[in-house]
Every structure is written in structure tokens, then in C-alpha cells.
Amino acid sequence: MPSSDDTGARERVEALKGHLNDAAEEFREADRQIRGFVKDSPFLALALAVAGGYLIGRTFQLGRQ
Amino acid sequence: MSTVASQQRRSTVRSPTASRGFAGSPGRVIRRVVEDAQALSRTAGEAREELRDVLRTQLEDRPYVALAVASSVGYLLAGGGPLRLARLLWSIGSRVSLEVFVRDVMNGPRAAAGTLGALPDDLETLETTA
């Protein structure tokens, strides 16, 4: 017969497993959306990526000054 | 569009009249310059289409790699990389392109055909009708 400690640990593991499954599902959904967006408007995605990189570069450049 | 297809197209559009240089009357020279400009425009259009196809294919096959490369380009454009390196690369690239361009112009359409790989297929027809 399992003790109350064992039951509590099992419940925590089950809860963690549920969270991980939810996170994996969210990641899969994000991946689907990103791939769909890139497929639908590839050049817009490219331009946004360049703009994002530009902003990051500017931020680092300002940080160095 | 594949590279093989574009090479086939280039080999079909190259004309033997391209090796004659700029000899002839001013009107003839002007006509040839116009023809060369048209050929250059066509080649630029084809290159643009090919670039677009390559980008689209890469974005569909490897979206994250393509986006990471684009972000890196933006990062470098913003001066995130070393400024001296960017200046050096820009200086070398612009000099080489200028040298190639001037050499092609000085050597005439034959050299330009060697570099660009495309001349109009109707050059023969245009010259015979002129």
C-alpha cells in the first residue's frame, strides 16, 4: 500500500507531466504558426527578421557606447 | 528555377553577333548600346526571379535557418559587428564590382556576355534589319 508521501510525489510528477505536455503542445502550435506565416508571406517574414536583427544590433551598439 | 534551366536559357540566347564590338556608325553603336541595355535588363530580371525562387525555397525548407541568417544580416547592418570589418568588406566589394563593370564596358559586349551570360536572341535579326 503506497504511503501518502508516495501519492503526493506521484501527483506532483503527474502535474509536471501535464505542464510539459501543455508546453510541448504550445510549442508545436507556435511552430505551425511560424511555418505557416513564413510560407504565406516569405518576404515579409524575411524583412521582419532583418528588422529584428537590426534592432538587436542597435541595442548592443548603444550598450557598448 | 533551377541553375541548369537558366544555363540552358543563357546558351540559347547568346548570339554570335555579340563578338563584333562597337564598330560601325553612331546610329549602329547607339542601337547596340540599347540592345545591350535591354539584355542587361532581361538578365537582371532573370537573376531577380532566380533569387526570389531560391529565397522562397530556402524559407519553405529551412524557415528557422533562413530567418536566423536574415536576423544576422540585420544585426551586422546595425553595426552590431566590428565596424572596421564592415568597412573593409564594403571597400573590397565595391572596388571589385566597379573593376568588373569597367572592364566589361571597355571590352564591349563580348566580355559582358562572358560575365552576365545572356544576350538577346534577336540581335541577329535586329542587325540584319538595320
Side-chain angles (χ1 to χ4, degrees):
Chain A
M1 184 153 187
S3 67
S4 61
D5 285 349
D6 287 346
T7 311
R10 191 169 294 129
E11 281 173 0
R12 280 200 293 274
V13 167
E14 287 298 321
L16 184 61
K17 193 177 158 188
H19 285 308
L20 286 175
N21 279 333
D22 290 347
E25 185 55 42
E26 284 177 17
F27 270 121
R28 270 194 289 271
E29 181 58 30
D31 180 56
R32 262 196 300 273
Q33 285 184 359
I34 290 170
R35 284 176 190 273
F37 177 67
V38 168
K39 196 169 183 176
D40 289 344
S41 33
F43 297 105
L44 178 62
L46 215 56
L48 287 175
V50 172
Y54 185 86
L55 284 176
I56 293 170
R58 288 297 286 181
T59 307
F60 275 103
Q61 199 185 30
L62 289 175
R64 276 194 304 216
Q65 286 172 355
Chain B
M1 194 178 302
S2 71
T3 312
V4 176
S6 67
Q7 282 174 351
Q8 284 173 346
R9 191 176 340 102
R10 282 175 189 154
S11 65
T12 55
V13 298
R14 194 167 290 165
S15 164
T17 56
S19 61
R20 291 183 192 168
F22 283 107
S25 65
R28 205 175 173 84
V29 169
I30 290 171
R31 198 175 302 118
R32 283 204 186 141
V33 168
V34 169
E35 289 163 5
D36 285 346
Q38 287 171 345
L40 184 63
S41 166
R42 263 198 295 273
T43 308
E46 288 171 8
R48 196 182 59 210
E49 287 297 319
E50 283 183 22
L51 179 67
R52 185 175 293 181
D53 288 343
V54 166
L55 281 177
R56 198 181 290 274
T57 309
Q58 288 295 321
L59 276 166
E60 283 181 11
D61 291 348
R62 307 176 194 84
Y64 295 111
V65 174
L67 292 179
V69 169
S71 305
S72 306
V73 169
Y75 180 81
L76 289 174
L77 283 176
L83 199 59
R84 278 187 186 175
L85 178 68
R87 277 188 190 153
L88 182 71
L89 289 176
W90 177 258
S91 165
I92 291 173
S94 55
R95 283 181 195 174
V96 167
S97 350
L98 188 66
E99 188 192 334
V100 168
F101 177 72
V102 169
R103 197 178 55 211
D104 287 350
V105 168
M106 296 297 284
N107 291 342
R110 186 179 192 180
T115 305
L116 300 171
L119 279 171
D121 52 353
D122 53 352
L123 257 182
E124 186 81 42
T125 316
L126 286 170
E127 286 204 348
T128 50
T129 54

